Amino acid sequence: MKRPTILLLFFFSLLAFSQEKKSYEIGILIDEQTEELSPLLNKLKEEIKAVVGEDANVSFPDEHILINGYDLETARNNYLTLEQNSSDIILALGPINNEVVGNIEVFKKPTILFGAVNSDLIDFDFERKVSGIENFTYLVTSESYNNDLKKFKELTDFKNIAILVDAGVEKVLPLKKTFDREIAALNAEYRLVPFSSVDDILNGLDGVDAVYMAGGFFLSKEDNVKLAQALIERKLPSFTVNSVTDVENGLMATNQSDDNLTTFFRRIAITVDRYIAGTPLEELPIKLDYEPKLTINYDTAQLVGVPIKYSLIGVTDFVGNFKNVLSQKNYNLLTAINDALTNNLSLRSDQKEVELSVQDFKTAKSDYLPSLDANANATYIDPDLAAISQGQSPEFSTDGDLTLNQTIFSEPSNANITVQKNLLKAEQENYNSLQLDLIFTASNSYFNALILKANTQIQIQNVELTKTNLEIAELNFEAGEEGKSDLLRFRSELAQDTQTMIEAINSLEQGFIDLNQVVNNPVDLEIDVEEPSLDKGLLKRYNYDRFFELLDNPSLREPFTEFLIAESKKNSPELKSLDYSLIATERNIKLNGYGRFLPTLSVQAQYNGTFSRSGAGKTAPEGFGLVDNSYNAVANVTIPILNRNRTNIDLKTAKIQKEQLEINRADTELSLDVNVRTGILNLINEISNIKLSEISEEAAKESLELTQTSYSSGSVTIVELIDSQNNYLNARLSKANAIYNYLINALQLERFIGYYFVLNSEDDNEKFTQRFFEFLSTQN
């Protein structure tokens, strides 16, 4: 029995040895080599090795990677070289290699042609499924210049477009014939711009209103950024046949999906694997469908003046910083406050109230200034009467006088001066109160714009997330794992999320309009708001996290509250205004009390002169002289006795006004107490919200990722996935808003205490803190 067993083991060992893995050397033909292409080739190699796996040893010798430099003859020689060397499989990439390999009739070595030419350039029967040519297969993609140009036309309605193509490709392919046909169908004109460098492109753009990048796969990142910036400066919208990466670098749009390259490499790897597994190349599928997906750089579209159509938002991916790149002014907290204090129309109107009160005060003081009047008269008298007047009243005469009046003492004037002085101070405090209100209004508008901006960005990202979940549902539906109801549900969710995103965008625009109104900008001025942070910049410098420390300590919370209430009453312009009004009212009470009996003292001096006398009675009788110039002086003392009871009425009115002011003052003190305590409670809520929202977002994100994975495998329902997505959305909104709501509540509390940390120096803020600890020491 042992002998047969040993023979069987020997037989199986020989069989295993005879089935040792085969090795394949793969040669690659490319048109050009750049820094950007090298990592892509490495990715392709890794994908092929990963898919082939343990079935064979696959290698890519460096000497088997040949470049033609856009030269047809070199491309032919490169193919012959691989055909004659040790390469087992030939991969050919690019339009020049496509022109060479596509004209070969007999393939001595297995050849795969890929990365081929746009489907518009080849006469291809799209019903064909395999190549049918021994040792040869190729991939035909659904990419189309025509589809790109139609979408670009929809975005921009271009009239004269520059179409950019690699100079080497333009010499080989029938590009002009293709674009003549496609551009004519769009009722536009075009210019073909062959290029070898970015400068070639920029020199060929005169007179065009749009740019279509139909080549440029081998341009470096630096070249793409340079080109994008130049097109933005010239206000030229752009569309590229290349990847989303170029759009992220600044070109405006593409119809390519981020997944296209991965799909493409996977398909090549599968083709190699199936050949190694024994399937002839001529029997492998050749068609590769791409799912077009419009991607737009939001910032670039704004800069070149292309409005984003709402009809496209639901089917468009957006990249960029989502800032208002057209903004003529970017606001931070300080600039928003300063512009409001300088330009706000309501505050400027209130400033006029102060100026009017200054004038009232000046008017009151002017009662003690002298008054001087000049008077001139021309008189005609009955001649008969004039004749017997002995020259005192001639028929015709002209005369005049100067009268000087000076008040020496007047209790009503003294009272009015005091009243107007205190009313001026009260008005100034009212103005100070309005300034404090405006500072908070400007801050609130600024932070509200930041909240709306954050919400907009999150809603945009949520739409992208819904699109991802829709793709999962589509894959599940195609695989038969889920019904069509899931697919329809996600399409409905996408429509609803898109509408929410549009509303968020419009709300952000409204937020900018509100901020423009507060700072007195034209309402259509393009502005943006800079995002603050507690741990750096302005808010770090002014220690806006101090409330965290003081309110987080239960033993300090109540003393700190009492201290802030005391500060609010000390700083309150409303209380100061009421106090000045009380002083003015008390002065009126004094005036209408014993002050009514105080006399008014004044003096008057007058100078009289006669300029001319004529007609009857112009001369005095013999011995009787006429005086043409004279003067007099009078001292007046006036004591009021009865004033139709007006004094008593005014006294009662002043007392009622005083009582009303005292009631208002007590109410204001109570309001300050309530507002400070309410503000502190709101801050405590927001402090906890900041901490908890961070935890909530992390948990919601992890939960969503797990739910997506489970939904892909059919382990959870669509309802659970949608709930998880909504939970993540709400958690993100809560976290984004928490910090801004905290700052809004902190500034509102500062409004109540009449002291804004952000508008005071670090030394003053340190003194404020020191006052608290001094206050705290008195409480022990």
Side-chain angles (χ1 to χ4, degrees):
M1 291 297 293
K2 290 183 179 180
R3 184 178 181 84
T5 301
I6 293 173
L7 289 174
L8 283 173
L9 290 174
F10 178 72
F11 173 76
F12 283 121
S13 66
L14 286 176
L15 182 62
F17 183 80
S18 67
Q19 291 180 346
E20 184 179 357
K21 291 190 296 184
K22 292 185 64 175
S23 295
Y24 291 85
E25 292 185 1
I26 297 180
I28 301 177
L29 300 174
I30 57 178
D31 288 344
E32 187 61 274
Q33 176 71 296
T34 65
E35 292 182 5
E36 280 66 30
L37 183 61
S38 294
L40 294 179
L41 284 178
N42 290 334
K43 184 176 180 180
L44 174 61
K45 295 173 187 177
E46 292 169 1
E47 186 72 22
I48 292 173
K49 289 180 179 180
V51 172
V52 172
E54 299 296 323
D55 295 341
N57 292 320
V58 177
S59 63
F60 303 87
D62 291 341
E63 64 272 15
H64 293 184
I65 300 176
L66 304 179
I67 306 164
N68 62 55
Y70 292 111
D71 183 77
L72 279 173
E73 190 59 33
T74 302
R76 292 188 186 96
N77 293 332
N78 287 347
Y79 185 83
L80 291 175
T81 299
L82 293 184
E83 195 177 52
Q84 295 167 6
N85 67 14
S86 60
S87 297
D88 298 298
I89 300 173
I90 300 173
L91 303 181
L93 164 67
I96 304 303
N97 286 315
N98 179 83
E99 184 69 13
V100 171
V101 175
N103 289 317
I104 296 175
E105 295 182 358
V106 177
F107 294 89
K108 297 179 181 179
K109 283 189 176 181
T111 302
I112 303 171
L113 180 62
F114 66 96
V117 182
N118 194 283
S119 60
D120 298 2
L121 296 173
I122 57 177
D123 183 14
F124 176 71
D125 180 7
F126 282 91
E127 296 300 321
R128 183 186 300 175
K129 299 184 181 300
V130 297
S131 73
I133 301 173
E134 185 178 0
N135 265 345
F136 179 66
T137 191
Y138 53 94
L139 296 182
V140 175
T141 69
S142 57
E143 290 180 359
S144 166
Y145 294 142
N146 190 35
N147 291 340
D148 283 356
L149 290 167
K150 285 181 178 178
K151 184 63 70 175
F152 196 20
K153 179 74 171 179
E154 184 181 356
L155 288 173
T156 65
D157 193 28
F158 60 79
K159 302 299 181 185
N160 193 339
I161 186 172
I163 299 178
L164 314 180
V165 294
D166 300 282
V169 174
E170 187 261 345
K171 297 175 182 178
V172 176
L173 301 179
L175 296 172
K176 186 175 185 307
K177 178 182 177 182
T178 300
F179 289 125
D180 281 348
R181 178 183 69 250
E182 295 180 349
I183 296 297
L186 296 175
N187 193 28
E189 297 179 355
Y190 80 100
R191 177 189 304 166
L192 201 61
V193 181
F195 68 91
S196 299
S197 68
V198 173
D199 289 337
D200 293 338
I201 296 173
L202 300 181
N203 292 332
L205 299 181
D206 291 341
V208 302
D209 58 5
V211 175
Y212 177 51
M213 174 65 81
F217 181 79
F218 295 106
L219 284 178
S220 67
K221 176 182 178 180
E222 291 73 19
D223 284 340
N224 274 309
V225 170
K226 177 181 176 181
L227 175 60
Q229 290 303 314
L231 296 179
I232 289 171
E233 290 172 4
R234 300 185 187 198
K235 302 293 184 183
L236 289 174
S238 54
F239 202 102
T240 179
V241 73
N242 298 314
S243 69
V244 172
T245 301
D246 289 351
V247 177
E248 291 172 343
N249 289 333
L251 293 181
M252 191 188 80
T254 184
N255 221 15
Q256 298 294 313
S257 168
D258 253 344
D259 300 329
N260 284 3
L261 192 60
T262 301
T263 302
F264 191 61
F265 285 174
R266 175 60 58 88
R267 179 62 177 277
I268 295 168
I270 291 173
T271 300
V272 172
D273 180 58
R274 291 187 64 183
Y275 168 74
I276 290 174
T279 303
L281 289 181
E282 60 267 26
E283 297 179 7
L284 292 176
I286 58 177
K287 190 175 179 183
L288 177 61
D289 286 325
Y290 282 154
E291 185 67 32
K293 181 174 287 188
L294 180 63
T295 301
I296 295 177
N297 188 309
Y298 183 85
D299 301 338
T300 301
Q302 284 193 83
L303 288 169
V304 299
V306 174
I308 305 300
K309 296 181 178 179
Y310 288 146
S311 59
L312 293 175
I313 287 179
V315 294
T316 303
D317 289 343
F318 291 96
V319 297
N321 295 320
F322 299 98
K323 293 184 177 180
N324 187 358
V325 292
L326 297 177
S327 66
Q328 296 168 256
K329 189 161 189 178
N330 291 333
Y331 280 100
N332 59 33
L333 180 58
L334 270 184
T335 55
I337 290 173
N338 290 334
D339 274 16
L341 291 175
T342 303
N343 303 321
N344 182 266
L345 292 178
S346 295
L347 191 65
R348 287 164 63 183
S349 175
D350 293 324
Q351 176 63 42
K352 297 303 177 183
E353 293 293 333
V354 177
E355 295 175 11
L356 289 172
S357 293
V358 171
Q359 296 306 111
D360 290 340
F361 178 49
K362 289 180 178 180
T363 300
K365 291 197 299 181
S366 70
D367 285 347
Y368 276 106
L369 295 177
S371 66
L372 181 63
D373 298 320
N375 182 45
N377 303 296
T379 307
Y380 171 76
I381 295 178
D382 184 334
D384 293 335
L385 181 61
I388 63 173
S389 67
Q390 298 183 351
Q392 298 300 309
S393 299
E395 181 181 2
F396 299 99
S397 65
T398 59
D399 61 75
D401 63 74
L402 287 174
T403 303
L404 174 68
N405 288 289
Q406 173 67 58
T407 300
I408 305 300
F409 175 82
S410 172
E411 180 62 8
S413 294
N414 291 341
N416 192 34
I417 291 172
T418 303
V419 167
Q420 294 303 326
K421 179 180 179 180
N422 284 280
L423 289 181
L424 170 59
K425 292 179 179 179
E427 192 62 50
Q428 182 63 58
E429 292 300 332
N430 289 337
Y431 178 76
N432 293 341
S433 175
L434 292 169
Q435 274 190 318
L436 292 174
D437 288 339
L438 180 61
I439 291 169
F440 177 70
T441 299
S443 303
N444 195 35
S445 295
Y446 163 74
F447 283 119
N448 185 55
L450 280 172
I451 289 173
L452 294 171
K453 183 177 180 179
N455 289 354
T456 299
Q457 292 173 345
I458 291 172
Q459 293 296 347
I460 290 172
Q461 293 162 4
N462 186 58
V463 168
E464 298 305 312
L465 179 57
T466 303
K467 291 177 182 176
T468 299
N469 288 338
L470 175 58
E471 290 172 1
I472 296 174
E474 289 172 340
L475 291 174
N476 286 350
F477 175 68
E478 292 170 0
E481 296 177 3
E482 299 291 345
K484 193 173 182 179
S485 61
D486 280 15
L487 195 62
L488 297 176
R489 175 66 185 275
F490 266 120
R491 286 176 181 170
S492 174
E493 287 291 319
L494 179 59
Q496 295 174 32
D497 290 344
T498 300
Q499 179 60 32
T500 302
M501 178 183 70
I502 292 171
E503 292 172 357
I505 292 171
N506 290 332
S507 294
L508 176 58
E509 288 299 317
Q510 183 62 54
F512 286 150
I513 290 172
D514 292 342
L515 182 54
N516 273 333
Q517 182 183 17
V518 171
V519 298
N520 191 28
N521 286 331
V523 292
D524 59 348
L525 181 72
E526 295 287 350
I527 62 173
D528 204 352
V529 283
E530 299 174 4
E531 299 183 30
S533 174
L534 282 179
D535 59 357
K536 60 184 179 181
L538 177 72
L539 301 182
K540 173 65 175 178
R541 188 164 72 251
Y542 288 99
N543 295 326
Y544 262 77
D545 55 354
R546 70 180 67 219
F547 287 128
F548 274 123
E549 303 167 5
L550 295 173
L551 296 179
D552 196 43
N553 188 332
S555 64
L556 293 178
R557 189 177 302 161
E558 184 57 31
F560 185 55
T561 301
E562 293 294 337
F563 169 71
L564 291 183
I565 291 172
E567 285 289 310
S568 71
K569 293 178 180 178
K570 182 180 74 174
N571 297 332
S572 172
E574 293 86 359
L575 286 180
K576 292 177 182 178
S577 176
L578 289 169
D579 287 340
Y580 287 127
S581 296
L582 276 168
I583 294 172
T585 302
E586 287 169 351
R587 187 64 182 88
N588 274 330
I589 292 173
K590 180 180 177 182
L591 169 66
N592 293 292
Y594 70 83
R596 74 176 76 179
F597 302 113
L598 294 176
T600 298
L601 303 179
S602 65
V603 295
Q604 182 184 70
Q606 188 174 56
Y607 180 82
N608 304 297
T610 300
F611 307 137
S612 66
R613 302 168 186 271
S614 61
K618 68 178 181 178
T619 59
E622 188 73 26
F624 189 81
L626 296 175
V627 179
D628 290 333
N629 300 294
S630 64
Y631 62 87
N632 62 73
V634 179
N636 294 318
V637 178
T638 303
I639 300 176
I641 303 299
L642 291 175
N643 188 22
R644 292 169 293 183
N645 203 36
R646 287 291 300 274
T647 302
N648 290 331
I649 294 173
D650 291 343
L651 176 62
K652 182 62 176 178
T653 300
K655 289 181 177 179
I656 293 172
Q657 289 172 339
K658 180 182 179 182
E659 292 171 358
Q660 183 185 41
L661 289 169
E662 289 172 340
I663 292 171
N664 289 342
R665 195 182 193 288
D667 183 57
T668 301
E669 283 190 325
L670 180 61
S671 296
L672 288 172
D673 195 325
V674 171
N675 289 338
V676 170
R677 291 184 181 278
T678 301
I680 286 176
L681 292 175
N682 289 338
L683 265 187
I684 294 172
N685 290 338
E686 295 304 330
I687 289 171
S688 64
N689 188 29
I690 289 174
K691 301 297 184 183
L692 296 176
S693 64
E694 292 175 355
I695 299 171
S696 176
E697 187 199 26
E698 292 174 3
K701 181 180 180 181
E702 184 176 354
S703 174
L704 175 61
E705 291 171 350
L706 293 173
T707 307
Q708 281 180 318
T709 302
S710 298
Y711 180 74
S712 299
S713 61
S715 302
V716 300
T717 66
I718 185 175
V719 174
E720 292 173 281
L721 178 56
I722 291 174
D723 286 345
S724 183
Q725 180 180 343
N726 289 336
N727 186 42
Y728 179 53
L729 170 64
N730 292 329
R732 292 193 66 198
L733 290 172
S734 178
K735 179 187 175 184
N737 295 347
I739 186 70
Y740 301 138
N741 286 329
Y742 167 76
L743 292 170
I744 288 173
N745 280 278
L747 284 162
Q748 187 174 51
L749 180 58
E750 291 174 21
R751 167 60 188 98
F752 294 149
I753 65 177
Y755 183 93
Y756 286 104
F757 290 102
V758 74
L759 298 180
N760 285 278
S761 68
E762 294 180 63
D763 287 342
D764 288 340
N765 291 338
E766 186 59 38
K767 290 176 183 176
F768 184 93
T769 304
Q770 188 60 39
R771 285 201 304 276
F772 165 63
F773 288 110
E774 291 172 0
F775 175 86
L776 187 62
S777 66
T778 65
Q779 304 300 302
N780 296 329

